[in-house]
């Protein structure tokens, strides 16, 4: 069972007082005490980001670690990655993430991890990266399409409700065929793929949703069924 959990926003970095999405990620490994590895490449291996990761996951029933490409803990990245049950990719600059991963061969290692049924998860840049294409602000000014790893079909747009220009920008790109149709997620929403099929959509916020966005004579936005993980 090859799993990807793509968080449009939320998790320990955006909702430190709301653990619902991160607990959901931990549960998907099926292990009692899963090994989880954080990859903060997109943030330039931000020390603050890494600290926030450990602040949360050290309190959970799991064995947390992280992989730095700026201060590598080992030359054998493949063994380091493949001994984990969950890989959790942080947010930041998706273009830089993809360039560095390719240079280090991490894109190939992560594909092997996925094929070996290690759970792949991530937020924002760590959500976009698994799809064929994503909407990114990696280039500075404005939002643009970016070719990604392609483990999952179509495109992905995180922060759909969290940033004012995300929704119009994504719809415009889809309408002009500058990006493949795909799924947009509000902050607090995670897409759970099993064997490349969307299995479940969950949220840490009662009103947060995901949307299928495509063009058929005009732009279409279809709200998808989303399960709130908390108590109404």
């Amino acid at each position: 069972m090859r799993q990807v959990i793509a968080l449009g926003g939320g998790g320990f970095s955006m909702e430190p007082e709301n653990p619902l999405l991160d607990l959901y990620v931990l549960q998907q490994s099926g292990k009692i005490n899963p090994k989880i590895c954080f990859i903060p490449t997109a943030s330039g291996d931000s020390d603050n980001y890494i600290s926030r990761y450990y602040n949360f996951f050290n309190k959970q029933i799991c064995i947390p670690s992280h992989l730095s490409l700026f201060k590598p803990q080992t030359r054998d990245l493949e063994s380091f990655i493949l001994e984990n049950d969950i890989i959790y990719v942080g947010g930041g600059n998706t273009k830089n993430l993809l360039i560095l991963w390719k240079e280090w061969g991490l894109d190939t290692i992560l594909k092997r991890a996925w094929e070996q049924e290690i759970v792949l998860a991530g937020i924002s840049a760590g959500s976009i990266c698994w799809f064929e294409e994503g909407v990114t602000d990696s280039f500075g000014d404005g939002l643009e399409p970016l070719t990604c790893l392609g483990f999952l079909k179509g495109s992905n747009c995180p922060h759909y409700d969290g940033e004012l220009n995300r929704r119009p920008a994504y719809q415009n790109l889809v309408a002009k065929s500058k990006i493949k149709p795909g799924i947009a997620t509000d902050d607090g929403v995670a897409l759970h793929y099993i064997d490349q099929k969307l299995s479940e959509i969950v949220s840490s916020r009662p009103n947060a949703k995901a949307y299928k966005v495509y063009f058929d004579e005009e732009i279409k936005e279809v709200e998808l069924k989303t399960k709130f993980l908390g108590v109404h």
Side-chain angles (χ1 to χ4, degrees):
M1 196 165 67
R2 297 172 300 170
Q3 299 186 76
V4 177
I5 304 166
L7 284 68
F12 71 90
S13 59
M14 286 182 67
E15 300 179 310
E17 305 306 316
N18 185 350
L20 292 174
L21 288 181
D22 291 331
L23 293 177
Y24 180 84
V25 169
L26 285 174
Q27 289 164 5
Q28 304 318 309
S29 74
K31 301 287 179 69
I32 294 170
N33 193 22
K35 293 181 178 179
I36 181 168
C37 179
F38 182 49
I39 305 182
T41 314
S43 68
D45 286 352
S46 159
D47 288 336
N48 176 268
Y49 203 2
I50 294 167
S51 293
R52 282 184 287 154
Y53 162 75
Y54 282 112
N55 283 344
F56 177 79
F57 283 97
N58 276 334
K59 296 170 187 170
Q60 312 310 318
I61 301 171
C62 64
I63 303 168
S65 64
H66 78 282
L67 174 66
S68 169
L69 293 183
F70 292 85
K71 298 175 184 174
Q73 296 96 319
T74 174
R75 293 184 71 89
D76 188 357
L77 300 185
E78 185 165 351
S79 295
F80 191 87
I81 289 293
L82 296 183
E83 70 177 11
N84 288 281
D85 302 302
I86 303 166
I87 304 298
Y88 194 129
V89 179
N93 189 304
T94 318
K95 186 169 179 64
N96 286 348
L97 170 151
L98 292 166
I99 289 168
L100 281 167
W101 281 6
K102 189 171 183 180
E103 187 65 29
W104 284 84
L106 199 56
D107 53 344
T108 305
I109 294 168
L110 287 169
K111 186 162 191 188
R112 200 161 294 140
W114 180 57
E115 289 166 348
Q116 291 185 18
E117 302 188 355
I118 293 169
V119 177
L120 303 180
I123 179 172
S124 192
S127 172
I128 292 168
C129 67
W130 311 116
F131 291 81
E132 289 181 296
E133 296 177 332
V135 178
T136 183
D137 55 7
S138 296
F139 300 94
D141 251 4
L143 291 160
E144 297 181 43
L146 181 69
T147 300
C148 302
L149 295 176
F151 296 5
L152 302 174
K153 300 295 182 187
S155 67
N156 179 233
C157 177
H159 310 306
Y160 204 52
D161 68 335
E163 296 175 12
L164 194 61
N165 57 345
R166 284 275 173 172
R167 187 181 239 113
Y170 185 45
Q171 292 190 5
N172 185 50
L173 289 169
V174 171
K176 292 182 175 178
S177 298
K178 291 184 176 179
I179 195 170
K180 293 175 187 285
I183 297 185
T185 45
D186 289 342
D187 287 339
V189 172
L191 309 171
H192 187 179
Y193 287 82
I194 297 176
D195 294 329
Q196 296 180 304
K197 291 183 179 179
L198 185 55
S199 171
E200 186 175 42
I201 304 171
V202 298
S203 77
S204 59
R205 305 178 186 183
N207 300 314
K209 302 292 180 185
Y211 305 87
K212 182 180 179 182
V213 179
Y214 63 100
F215 187 81
D216 181 12
E217 297 186 353
E218 61 180 8
I219 197 71
K220 306 280 190 180
E221 179 187 274
V222 180
E223 185 179 305
L224 300 172
K225 184 181 178 184
T226 304
K227 175 185 170 186
F228 176 51
L229 294 170
V231 178
H232 281 284

